[in-house]
Amino acid sequence: MSNDAAARQGRPLAAMLLYLSFVFVGGALLAPWLYHAVQALARGIPALENVARTPFARYVNRALLLMALAGLPFFLRGAGIRRWRDVGVAPGFMVGRRFAAGFGLGFTSLAMVCLVALAAGGRALRPTSAGDLAGQFLGALATALVVACMEELLFRGAFFGGLRRVVPWGAAVAGSSAVYAIVHFMGRPENPPVVDWLAGLRVLPGMLAGMTALHTLFPALLNLALAGIILALAYHWTGELSASIGIHAGWIFWLKYYGTLTRGAPGADPWFWGSRKLVDGWMATIAIAIVLAVLLGMARRRSGPGPDPSRGPTGD
């Protein structure tokens, strides 16, 4: 391999390392500014008072997302990605049948966890009015669609797609899924006593402290990693993001709605049934494993490993 070819092949990996550094360091430095901006606005806008009481770790989380979105075009350019179809965005963006099938699979898998948990006494119905349930339902659905589109473009289209250019696709699945799991595993440590301009850098390690505790590491981190693998495989085997967005949206809906619909039951083991987060229980592991089995079964019916998204999506 020539020196020029080796340099071009290494560009996506170097761009990814620079991008991750930009996101985590930049997000940690941006968070205090967001925090103080909201506090100042809340003094004149009563509607923002609840937002102002949000734990500082949430500001760090949102700052990381803002930096990730702001830096994404530069990462894609640095990785040598020039076309939207190279990150799984097909002409017309969404293939309807694939999205619908994916959404049905993701939605049904975690709906079954909810039903089994309620039937077996692992969770109990939360007393809530029909109006509140309907409002939360629509809110959870809207959030699911928006977040699924953004995260699939970022983690599968950009991260997985960039890694796949320089390492075998199986290693790219593992690497992108690990990043996805770690980012979503971040906890919410206590607020720092003083929110100065370095507060985000001091809080960020505490947001990953759960990775040192067995009961929080498993099954929550395992479930997130399995979810990332499933979503990456859905993208790899279809050549575009419709199916992975659908699966992801179905899951996010229940992650948002589960705590509204249910509450902890006396004597139930939250390590098995999960808390209001749902993803931190072994029942969720079973459901995600079933989705993986379904996806692998569907892949076996295919004649090939799936198209390279750089050549565009296949017909539906």
Side-chain angles (χ1 to χ4, degrees), residues 59-154:
Y59 287 92
V60 177
N61 190 284
R62 293 298 179 264
L64 293 176
L65 178 59
L66 287 174
M67 296 302 287
L69 294 175
L72 184 59
F74 301 98
F75 163 67
L76 295 177
R77 185 171 182 84
I81 298 172
R82 297 289 186 268
R83 300 174 301 174
W84 281 108
R85 68 176 57 193
D86 292 340
V87 291
V89 179
F93 184 50
M94 197 72 75
V95 179
R97 284 196 296 172
R98 285 180 180 160
F99 171 80
F103 184 84
L105 183 59
F107 182 94
T108 302
S109 63
L110 293 189
M112 293 305 299
V113 172
C114 181
L115 290 174
V116 171
L118 289 172
R123 299 283 292 179
L125 281 173
R126 183 183 296 276
T128 310
S129 68
D132 286 343
L133 283 176
Q136 292 290 338
F137 181 95
L138 294 176
L141 184 60
T143 299
L145 294 173
V146 172
V147 173
C149 288
M150 290 194 304
E151 291 196 350
E152 288 311 296
L153 179 61
L154 176 61

Side-chain angles (χ1 to χ4, degrees), residues 264-309:
D269 183 3
W271 202 32
F272 180 77
W273 296 107
S275 67
R276 63 178 290 120
K277 297 178 182 178
L278 195 154
V279 74
D280 56 357
W282 286 105
M283 271 298 297
T285 310
I286 296 171
I288 294 171
I290 291 173
V291 173
L292 179 59
V294 170
L295 197 64
L296 291 173
M298 294 173 64
R300 290 193 187 99
R301 300 192 190 104
R302 296 176 60 91
S303 59
D308 183 342

Side-chain angles (χ1 to χ4, degrees), residues 160 163-164 167-177:
F160 172 61
L163 279 176
R164 192 172 48 177
V167 299
W169 73 268
V173 169
S176 61
S177 299

